[in-house]
Amino acid sequence: MVSILGAGPAGSTAAYYLAKSGYKVELIDKTEFPREKPCAGGLFNPEMYHQEFPHVKEYPGKYIYRSKFYFGIDNDYNVAGYESSRPLLKMVMRKEFDYFLLNKAIEAGALFYVAKNPEGEIIIDATGVKPPHFYKDAGICLVFDYPLSSDIDTVHIHYGFGGITGYAWVYPKQGFANIGIGAYLPQRNIRKIYKNYVDFLRRNRIVEVDDVKYMAKIIPFAPRSRWYERNRVFVGDAAGFVNPATGEGIFFAMLSGKIAARMIVEGRDFNWYENECKRRFGYWLEPIRFRNRPGLLNMILKKAVKIAEKDKDFAGMLTENFFRLGAHNLTWRFLLRLFF
Ligand SMILES: Cc1cc2nc3c(=O)[nH]c(=O)nc-3n(C[C@H](O)[C@H](O)[C@H](O)COP(=O)(O)OP(=O)(O)OC[C@H]3O[C@@H](n4cnc5c(N)ncnc54)[C@H](O)[C@@H]3O)c2cc1C
């Protein structure tokens, strides 16, 4: 028998694929479902989700094709817009999406328990984010789903808002706007900067919201040093599989869960798991260049948004890189546009 601890996207996906292959699986969470999870709920590059996890196609979500990238504060900012022919995002409510994935695992034959001791010979640890010291780098995110009177359809990414090493965002959902901010730790005054961002959105009539609300949560920005120990393999946030440039983690959580299931079904070892994860998505977990020089990093991002304002191709590449639609080497293009 296999025990899976944590029934978020990583755990439920591992359980789904193991149960489908005929394995006896116990999926154990510390809480009852459906449960809240502070998250923007953006499935980046939905076409790739549907290709990799065909059952996700059944889940209804709002598709987003338009993006706006900003750099600057208050009324002194550059902004580059882009409309893609392929969906950038499928927006979901995490409470419902995670419950959907859990039910898929149960339908496939996994047994779900709340707060039970694991009995399996192998343990898949999908217990989500750990305290920051578990990871080489970690961040803090503040987020809330605000109900809207009229829907919006453009995602807003505001690099370096309030001087942070990170970005603030608006992700539109059906009937809601998810407004959030994420920055590398340590970060002072993040609550104040979040409030300023909501004010900025109001002033610029991007989103009309009343009270400022948020939930705060730690986010890994680098994998932990070991991805397995003894009979336990780490998947998803427990392993630190989040793209530090965007905060995207759901896809890597689900993919690492699927790879862990494949490891067991094909009788492979933990070393194979580690190499397969690196091969499939290691590129997207690379640390951000100049992350320790926030002044320089923000100067480059500001310049990039300025270039994208005038150059549609560059704006397209920036957008595709951000939403994982494609991996473009932006450096050469950036340098060329800088000097010519
Ligand atoms: C504010 C914010 C916004 C984000 N926005 C996005 C986004 O738009 N798109 C995106 O792709 N990613 C986003 N992420 C990242 C994403 O939320 C995570 O990467 C993803 O949820 C990881 O899934 P998981 O299954 O590993 O962990 P989780 O979803 O955290 O699930 C872990 C589960 O384990 C359970 N658990 C914990 N401890 C135990 C235990 N001891 N025993 C049993 N069960 C336990 C928990 O109850 C929980 O159900 C965001 C993160 C934050 C903080």
Side-chain angles (χ1 to χ4, degrees), residues 12-192:
S12 287
T13 305
Y16 173 77
Y17 284 104
L18 279 167
K20 255 178 55 138
S21 302
Y23 273 75
K24 202 172 166 208
V25 184
E26 55 171 15
L27 178 57
I28 305 167
D29 204 283
K30 64 176 183 183
T31 55
E32 300 274 359
F33 271 61
R35 55 99 177 92
E36 289 290 352
K37 159 78 179 98
C39 183
L43 307 187
F44 289 42
N45 190 354
E47 286 170 352
M48 197 174 271
Y49 268 90
H50 295 167
Q51 197 181 312
E52 196 66 53
F53 316 106
H55 58 295
V56 170
K57 252 190 236 165
E58 290 168 35
Y59 187 86
K62 183 178 162 99
Y63 290 88
I64 309 293
Y65 291 82
R66 288 149 56 101
S67 64
K68 269 191 181 172
F69 287 86
Y70 299 69
F71 198 99
I73 303 165
D74 292 336
N75 294 319
D76 171 28
Y77 55 82
N78 297 102
V79 49
Y82 190 72
E83 178 146 3
S84 166
S85 57
R86 293 159 58 199
L88 307 172
L89 288 165
K90 179 174 174 179
M91 294 305 304
V92 302
M93 299 300 261
R94 279 297 298 274
K95 190 174 175 179
E96 293 158 14
F97 182 66
D98 289 15
Y99 195 41
F100 163 85
L101 294 178
L102 169 62
N103 280 319
K104 283 284 162 197
I106 294 169
E107 276 168 30
L111 300 171
F112 178 62
Y113 301 97
V114 176
K116 173 188 177 291
N117 283 331
E119 289 171 36
E121 299 88 51
I122 298 183
I123 292 178
I124 296 181
D125 188 326
T127 51
V129 67
K130 307 275 166 253
H133 67 265
F134 273 77
Y135 311 101
K136 197 165 164 240
D137 264 324
I140 173 112
C141 286
L142 269 58
V143 76
F144 197 76
D145 279 325
Y146 293 85
L148 293 178
S149 47
S150 54
D151 265 4
I152 51 170
D153 65 354
T154 303
V155 54
H156 297 256
I157 303 294
H158 204 132
Y159 286 131
F161 189 86
I164 57 166
T165 309
Y167 71 95
W169 69 79
V170 180
Y171 284 179
K173 299 188 181 183
Q174 204 75 52
F176 292 89
N178 182 283
I179 302 178
I181 192 164
Y184 271 96
L185 283 170
Q187 173 63 56
R188 293 171 63 184
N189 298 331
I190 188 85
R191 284 166 180 77
K192 190 159 176 266

Side-chain angles (χ1 to χ4, degrees), residues 254-316:
M254 292 180 68
L255 192 51
S256 58
K258 186 177 174 183
I259 294 171
R262 217 182 118 200
M263 169 190 78
I264 293 167
V265 172
E266 294 180 5
R268 298 180 187 264
D269 59 14
F270 288 161
N271 220 13
W272 177 87
Y273 166 77
E274 187 162 327
N275 288 332
E276 189 63 7
C277 287
K278 283 183 185 155
R279 188 181 74 78
R280 292 297 310 278
F281 58 84
Y283 172 85
W284 298 103
L285 307 185
E286 291 284 313
I288 301 179
R289 259 181 244 178
F290 309 122
R291 170 251 171 286
N292 293 321
R293 299 184 62 189
L296 179 63
L297 178 65
N298 280 345
M299 202 178 81
I300 293 170
L301 289 170
K302 184 176 175 143
K303 203 77 196 167
V305 174
K306 207 168 182 170
I307 293 171
E309 241 182 345
K310 301 199 182 75
D311 181 339
K312 277 274 161 245
D313 279 356
F314 191 78

